[in-house]
Amino acid sequence: MPTVRPRSLDPGSHPERIILNLLSQITEARLMEHLKRIIGVRHHGTAPEALEAAGDYMTGQFRAAGLAIRNHWFEAFGHRNRNIVGSIRDGSGGYPRRRPPLILGAHYDTVSNSPGADDNASGVAVMLEAARLLSGLPLSVPLVFIGFSQEEQHCLGSTLYAIKAGRAGTRIQGVIVLECVGYASRQPRSQKPLRGLPVAVPDTGNFLGVVGNPEAAALKEGFEKTARRYVPDLPLVSLLVPDAGHGFPDTRRSDHSPFWDAGYPALMMTDTADFRNPAYHQPGDTLETLDLSYMVNVTKAIVAYLADVGISKD
């Protein structure tokens, strides 16, 4: 799919006008095109070619959007794996360095027998659209987009990335990980309870879960404020968990958790996976089960927040 560069506005435009312009360009059709290219078993053992093809597709989309690209390579399971990192250039051809970067990430691998539409082609599609739309902004905050590999193998790709960043003393303003953001239901009792969490969870599965560590309190509050302003019909259920989530293991089940362990502020955005989606990790996790209107709202919330932070003059 050719990447359509976003319609631009004068850099001096009011931030709200810039954001509304970006949100008007988010469509089900564009998300659908990404999903069609990504969905299918993407596993180092049962479908290594498809895993590589998904990585190539992300790389091509990042390149077409004008991002600078690098690969974080690692050997595991008899396969040469890569985290794919795309960074937005500023208008001078360099990178904005005034603040530490904000990272938006999503894993692109699957378990061995699932086409992984919700888990996690949905997250990758949202990330790609965010990168495309945000790539033309005059930024005061660096934005970095990462496709993580081997999340299904104990978050290996993100663990190695976070360890490397920590050892290098890399400053990171925050990390947002998209983990299963495509399945929703407006039927009562479509959401299973998440027992033990210190927050009430509705029994209707149409909300976006926002889960962070205490270090991510400002990140969570900023996202909530922006999402409620620009996407008021997207329900949110948010919480912060102490001790890197070790007291609530279900909150650790994605690529945000290695960043928690390294002490970085990080959020997971999720439809709650198997607490809502009966096809989670199953052959039935297909395109037809996704709710594209829900995905559009998730994309809008992410783009609005990153745009608001990225063009802030504070």
Side-chain angles (χ1 to χ4, degrees):
M1 175 182 64
T3 293
V4 179
R5 297 305 294 270
R7 297 191 301 272
S8 60
L9 283 173
D10 184 280
S13 296
H14 189 278
E16 182 174 11
R17 185 176 172 222
I18 293 174
I19 292 170
L20 291 173
N21 174 64
L22 294 175
L23 300 192
S24 72
Q25 300 177 60
I26 299 171
T27 66
E28 293 185 11
R30 286 207 57 84
L31 291 170
M32 176 70 82
E33 290 300 322
H34 291 311
L35 292 166
K36 287 179 177 177
R37 293 292 300 271
I38 299 165
I39 291 172
V41 178
R42 308 177 298 280
H43 185 268
H44 63 273
T46 58
E49 296 86 359
L51 180 61
E52 287 305 304
D56 290 342
Y57 179 71
M58 271 191 296
T59 299
Q61 292 295 301
F62 283 164
R63 182 174 292 114
L67 275 61
I69 303 164
R70 65 182 176 87
N71 291 316
H72 172 217
W73 295 99
F74 59 98
E75 301 285 341
F77 316 110
H79 187 79
R80 193 172 188 227
N81 306 276
R82 53 178 167 161
N83 297 322
I84 301 166
V85 183
S87 303
I88 292 182
R89 298 180 184 273
D90 67 14
S92 64
Y95 306 93
R97 295 294 188 189
R98 299 179 206 171
R99 303 179 187 175
L102 269 171
I103 294 174
L104 181 67
H107 76 88
Y108 64 99
D109 61 310
T110 69
V111 293
S112 63
N113 67 333
S114 175
D118 189 30
D119 187 19
N120 187 35
S122 64
V124 174
V126 170
M127 178 181 69
L128 291 177
E129 274 303 277
R132 180 184 73 88
L133 290 164
L134 295 164
S135 61
L137 293 184
L139 298 172
S140 62
V141 175
L143 297 182
V144 177
F145 303 86
I146 306 178
F148 289 112
S149 189
Q150 300 299 357
E151 186 269 353
E152 300 293 357
Q153 307 299 322
H154 305 290
C155 299
L156 181 59
S158 55
T159 296
L160 294 174
Y161 187 94
I163 289 173
K164 183 178 180 180
R167 288 177 176 171
T170 302
R171 296 172 62 214
I172 298 174
Q173 182 171 330
V175 180
I176 298 174
V177 167
L178 302 169
E179 174 61 52
C180 299
V181 292
Y183 189 92
S185 173
R186 291 150 188 84
Q187 298 300 315
R189 296 183 294 279
S190 56
Q191 178 71 45
K192 296 178 184 177
L194 286 82
R195 302 190 187 282
L197 294 182
V199 62
V201 177
D203 72 352
T204 300
N206 66 339
F207 61 86
L208 178 68
V210 181
V211 185
N213 56 348
E215 292 84 351
L219 198 66
K220 179 184 80 72
E221 291 167 8
F223 176 79
E224 289 173 329
K225 180 180 178 180
T226 305
R228 287 171 176 149
R229 177 179 180 182
Y230 289 99
V231 200
D233 53 346
L234 176 65
L236 302 176
V237 173
S238 306
L239 74 154
L240 300 175
V241 292
D243 190 28
H246 289 289
F248 307 99
D250 282 321
T251 67
R252 290 182 51 84
R253 291 167 44 191
S254 193
D255 290 314
H256 61 292
S257 58
F259 292 94
W260 286 0
D261 293 338
Y264 288 113
L267 298 175
M268 173 178 61
M269 309 286 184
T270 181
D271 62 23
T272 75
D274 53 320
F275 289 94
R276 179 183 306 175
N277 187 346
Y280 174 77
H281 280 190
Q282 301 298 319
D285 185 9
T286 61
L287 177 62
E288 294 73 21
T289 67
L290 299 183
D291 185 324
L292 289 173
S293 64
Y294 175 79
M295 285 186 63
V296 164
N297 280 341
V298 172
T299 310
K300 287 181 175 181
I302 291 290
V303 168
Y305 175 67
L306 293 179
D308 190 48
V309 173
I311 61 181
S312 171
K313 305 301 182 184
D314 297 336

